Amino acid sequence: MRVSAKADYALRGVLEIAAAEQPPIKRDAIAAAQRIPVKFLEAILGELRNAGIVASHRGSEGGYSLARPAEEITVADVIRAIEGPLASVRDVRPEELEYEGVAAPLREVFVALRMNMRAVLESVTIADIVAGRLSPQIEELIKRPEAWESH
């Protein structure tokens, strides 16, 4: 899985908003805290607002807050809002793929890959990350030495 800079910035921006002691938090404060280019962040926040993840507030006391509780927003929600489906092959959903001959089982491999990504990304909420806690399943995965090895 490749996480784009845009999705990474979106997650970090949402985390800053969720961690704010007194939301709403200003765009420039989010950008400075996470070292995200302001113009890029502005576009990302617009997409997150359209997806119902953040809310914008006008005025001198305005800024951004979460549109729903952090416990209800998963990492998958943020990535989907920015990038679309978690897994696709040539912009086709895995279950819609059709391969012939020896490659026919490849569709099932891609479907299984999507399920594994969902198992992680849909189980971690923004509140979990802000609190610094991960589920026992995630903790077990990251305890494995091979999790930290590049291949």
Side-chain angles (χ1 to χ4, degrees):
M1 174 179 185
R2 181 182 175 278
V3 177
S4 69
K6 188 175 180 183
D8 178 52
Y9 289 165
L11 285 163
R12 290 165 43 203
V14 169
L15 290 167
E16 279 298 321
I17 295 167
E21 290 182 21
Q22 292 191 330
I25 182 173
K26 302 242 183 255
R27 175 202 64 198
D28 291 350
I30 299 166
Q34 289 298 319
R35 298 173 60 190
I36 300 171
V38 174
K39 288 292 184 185
F40 198 20
L41 179 62
E42 187 172 0
I44 290 167
L45 290 169
E47 290 182 46
L48 293 169
R49 186 183 63 244
N50 290 338
I53 292 174
V54 302
S56 60
H57 308 274
R58 295 185 181 271
S60 62
E61 299 300 316
Y64 291 87
S65 63
L66 296 180
R68 56 188 202 261
E71 296 80 10
E72 296 177 13
I73 303 170
T74 67
V75 171
D77 293 333
V78 176
I79 292 173
R80 283 187 186 112
I82 298 301
E83 300 290 344
L86 292 178
S88 64
V89 178
R90 300 180 326 272
D91 293 327
V92 176
R93 292 178 185 266
E95 70 275 10
E96 296 171 1
L97 294 169
E98 291 186 30
Y99 294 110
E100 297 179 17
V102 70
L106 197 51
R107 178 178 86 156
E108 283 72 21
V109 171
F110 291 137
V111 168
L113 173 64
R114 179 180 60 189
M115 265 320 291
N116 274 316
M117 285 192 298
R118 284 178 178 169
V120 172
L121 299 176
E122 291 178 351
S123 72
V124 179
T125 69
I126 297 303
D128 293 334
I129 297 171
V130 169
R133 66 175 183 261
L134 298 174
S135 71
Q137 297 89 340
I138 303 296
E139 292 287 349
E140 278 302 311
L141 286 172
I142 62 176
K143 282 182 186 176
R144 295 176 169 176
E146 64 270 22
W148 300 94
E149 296 172 5
S150 296
H151 292 272

